[in-house]
Amino acid sequence: MKFASARLIASDINGMVAFYELLTGCSADWLAPVFAEIVTPGASLAIGSAETVALFSEGSSEPGVNRTAILEFMVSDVDAEFARLKDQITVVHAPKDLPWGNRTVQFSDPEGTRVALYTPVTDAARRRFAGR
């Protein structure tokens, strides 16, 4: 099994796509007016408008209510990314070191999903991510 993507449901798909394009530096592939993908080296982030929920099961997903997931992106320099983004998007917390060896910063996307950028900073963390 290969983890391929995560999908967010958005009430404002244009705003969400613009946020993730700014965050990742990648342009979205619009596969339909209600669906876009941002393809990164590790996986894809799919963004569907609220209208797409009815294609699966009416009411099964709802924009803006996720408080359990944090989307994480590994970057080469978390402090540089923080400096680039801090005045353009909502900051949850400034860069800090975590006990498992990552330096991380957290932002909030326009619909409230938490997004973390991190850099492995300890030798153990660098080894853990070396093959990923």
Side-chain angles (χ1 to χ4, degrees):
M1 182 182 303
K2 177 182 176 183
F3 182 75
S5 72
R7 182 180 310 179
L8 300 174
I9 299 300
S11 59
D12 174 9
I13 191 169
N14 292 317
M16 286 284 277
V17 169
F19 172 89
Y20 284 100
E21 286 180 325
L22 172 66
L23 182 84
T24 64
C26 298
S27 295
D29 294 327
W30 286 88
L31 305 177
V34 294
F35 187 82
E37 287 182 328
I38 295 179
V39 179
T40 72
S44 296
L45 177 63
I47 304 169
S49 73
E51 299 165 58
T52 64
V53 174
L55 298 171
F56 303 106
S57 180
E58 189 71 45
S60 62
S61 293
E62 184 179 341
V65 296
N66 177 28
R67 296 297 180 261
T68 62
I70 300 170
L71 299 179
E72 296 184 312
F73 296 85
M74 187 167 52
V75 298
S76 60
D77 184 343
V78 77
D79 293 290
E81 292 297 320
F82 177 69
R84 178 178 73 88
L85 295 166
K86 67 182 173 103
D87 296 326
Q88 301 178 70
I89 59 180
T90 303
V91 175
V92 175
H93 70 74
K96 64 170 92 173
D97 294 338
L98 299 177
W100 47 91
N102 293 339
R103 183 158 177 79
T104 187
V105 62
Q106 223 177 79
F107 300 102
S108 180
D109 78 14
E111 305 227 359
T113 299
R114 299 302 185 237
V115 180
L117 306 181
Y118 71 93
T119 301
V121 293
T122 65
D123 289 340
R126 285 188 204 96
R127 282 191 305 275
R128 191 171 62 251
F129 288 102
R132 295 186 192 180

